[in-house]
Amino acid sequence: MENISLSKKMILGLQHVLAMFGATVLVPFLTGLDPAIALLGAGVGTLLFHVCSKGIVPVFLGSSFAFIGAIALTLQSEGLAFVKGGLIAAGFVYMLIAIIIYFIGVDAVKRLFPPIITGPIIMVIGLRLSPVAVNMAFYQDGAFNLTSTLIASVVIVTMVVVSIFFKGFFKLVPILIAITVGYIVSMLFGIVDFGPIQEASFFTFHKDSDAIKNLLTMPKFTLSGIIAIAPIAFVVFIEHIGDITTNGAVVGKNFLENPGVHRTILGDGVATAFAGLIGAPANTTYSENTGVLAVTKVYDPAIIRIAAVFAIIMSLFGPLTATISTIPLPVMGGVSVILFGMIASVGVRIVVSADLDFSHSRNLMISALILVLGIGVDAFPIGSSGVTISGLAIAALIGVVLNSILPSEI
């Protein structure tokens, strides 16, 4: 797959944009930030990440869900300028973690995260997202919907058929083909709303737009804003380890060693600081795009950078963003069912490849707690600050502690 033409790389890049779009613009809608600025932050943030990670890690950065509660509360109580200050501070926390890892060495990180932890964590990353995919695909307003189910089923069948039976370049773009087929079927069912395209302004950042006003708002730094937002970076670091491990497992490389986890977490930090500067949500590595890598088996980081450029262009032109926003939920739900399942399957592959013996109670206890807590716990609130710890982070912490204190079985 090495000699792919630029035109084909652009199509593959568009496929990555479609995978990340829904989640990236959902976060600003939930927090009150601007979706166009979120896309701009994701695109530029991804390029900054690639600079920091020597351009060899095929990762896309998008809006982080971990910061939703803290951003929403800070925006409501103190305003956008203070949110910007808190996010910039979060970026510097990432950078501090990167410096610490640089001096203690990657081996210390690897000892904390052996296969008995990383395998189940990667399964959790995929399975935690499965209810989201199923609800998007088969339900509407909380109730089972036959039309949604039919559309999602067409998308799933299309992805399976293209991935297994098609040849050549078509085999590399099953997601793009499936979305196109699903979109056409959705039009036949009359559920595509073209209103956003007609209402969109051609240029997003014209002089009187809210987007340009938000973009130009200067950051302000207060202790309350920083405390509410910045500490979440410590929690997301654990998720970052899982995401980079997953990405490396899909690609077949150890990105914790090369370019090094200190570089990848630095990339997250620089991207998040830039997001704070312009008023976008904090950035984080996206599992959706790792799922695309698993499906297509095309791992060229340049394609991710092309996707980042597409995201930047989309943020500037309203009709482009609006067009993708008209893709119905059942279509993206059908795609997500397979993408998230592929991520969970990578976790299974890690456990199998490591030849872990689950007849040992130690391995059973560690994996059992990671799986149940990681999937079952949504988020654990810390007081009334709006800061929450995700189930994934709690599961990873418990796994690290148990792996450190439980004796090895012979």
Side-chain angles (χ1 to χ4, degrees):
M1 302 300 180
E2 295 180 357
N3 298 318
I4 300 176
S5 66
L6 178 59
S7 60
K8 291 180 178 179
K9 286 183 178 181
M10 291 180 69
I11 295 173
L12 290 167
L14 177 60
Q15 188 169 237
H16 276 282
V17 171
L18 294 174
M20 69 85 192
F21 182 85
T24 295
V25 299
L26 177 61
V27 173
F29 277 122
L30 294 176
T31 56
L33 298 178
D34 191 283
I37 295 178
L39 281 173
L40 178 63
V44 175
T46 298
L47 296 178
L48 292 171
F49 175 92
H50 281 244
V51 171
C52 294
S53 58
K54 301 194 294 188
I56 64 175
V57 186
V59 157
F60 192 97
L61 269 61
S63 304
S64 173
F65 281 73
F67 289 81
I68 288 177
I71 290 175
L73 284 175
T74 305
L75 186 64
Q76 183 178 8
S77 61
E78 299 191 48
L80 178 61
F82 300 95
V83 171
K84 285 187 170 187
L87 288 173
I88 292 172
F92 280 102
V93 170
Y94 282 125
M95 297 176 200
L96 175 62
I97 294 172
I99 293 171
I100 293 172
I101 294 173
Y102 176 78
F103 283 106
I104 67 174
V106 70
D107 288 337
V109 177
K110 288 170 64 179
R111 282 194 296 270
L112 291 175
F113 296 92
I116 187 56
I117 295 177
T118 57
I121 283 177
I122 292 171
M123 293 183 215
V124 167
I125 289 173
L127 295 177
R128 271 177 67 86
L129 297 168
S130 58
V132 177
V134 169
N135 285 326
M136 289 168 61
F138 308 123
Y139 291 80
Q140 185 174 335
D141 298 327
F144 176 79
N145 186 275
L146 181 59
T147 301
S148 296
T149 300
L150 289 172
I151 294 170
S153 299
V154 168
V155 171
I156 292 170
V157 170
T158 302
M159 279 192 69
V160 171
V161 170
V162 172
S163 298
I164 296 176
F165 297 106
F166 278 39
K167 304 294 183 182
F169 181 69
F170 291 110
K171 190 180 181 70
L172 305 183
V173 288
I175 298 165
L176 191 58
I177 294 173
I179 289 175
T180 302
V181 172
Y183 197 89
I184 294 171
V185 174
S186 299
M187 289 172 61
L188 295 176
F189 277 102
I191 67 167
V192 178
D193 179 14
F194 295 104
I197 301 175
Q198 298 168 351
E199 298 170 3
S201 300
F202 188 77
F203 292 111
T204 305
F205 297 101
H206 58 83
K207 65 176 183 178
D208 296 322
S209 68
D210 291 335
I212 196 68
K213 294 174 184 176
N214 294 342
L215 190 67
L216 298 177
T217 298
M218 295 301 295
K220 293 182 180 180
F221 299 90
T222 61
L223 185 61
S224 58
I226 292 172
I227 290 176
I229 296 175
I232 301 174
F234 289 108
V235 177
V236 178
F237 164 67
I238 298 173
E239 298 182 7
H240 176 87
I241 295 292
D243 288 334
I244 294 299
T245 303
T246 306
N247 193 274
V250 169
V251 176
K253 296 181 179 180
N254 188 342
F255 292 132
L256 296 182
E257 290 186 352
N258 183 30
V261 69
H262 64 287
R263 283 184 171 271
T264 61
I265 196 66
L266 174 65
D268 268 18
V270 173
T272 294
F274 174 79
L277 184 65
I278 66 173
N283 280 316
T284 190
T285 49
Y286 254 33
S287 300
E288 289 88 340
N289 296 90
T290 299
V292 175
L293 298 177
V295 171
T296 64
K297 298 181 175 60
V298 179
Y299 313 130
D300 186 355
I303 293 172
I304 304 294
R305 293 191 283 273
I306 290 171
V309 173
F310 273 135
I312 294 169
I313 293 172
M314 286 171 54
S315 73
L316 302 177
F317 298 99
L320 294 178
T321 306
T323 298
I324 293 183
S325 71
T326 63
I327 299 174
L329 280 180
V331 176
M332 296 310 300
V335 170
S336 299
V337 166
I338 293 182
L339 292 186
F340 299 154
M342 293 288 287
I343 293 169
S345 299
V346 170
V348 175
R349 190 178 77 188
I350 288 177
V351 170
V352 172
S353 299
D355 198 23
L356 294 172
D357 188 353
F358 282 92
S359 66
H360 289 176
S361 298
R362 179 184 189 277
N363 289 342
L364 276 176
M365 293 300 104
I366 294 174
S367 62
L369 286 169
I370 290 175
L371 289 170
V372 172
L373 294 177
I375 297 170
V377 177
D378 183 23
F380 186 83
I382 302 178
S384 58
S385 63
V387 177
T388 60
I389 302 178
S390 70
L392 175 62
I394 293 172
L397 282 171
I398 290 176
V400 168
V401 171
L402 290 180
N403 183 65
S404 301
I405 65 175
L406 291 181
S408 300
E409 297 186 46
I410 300 177

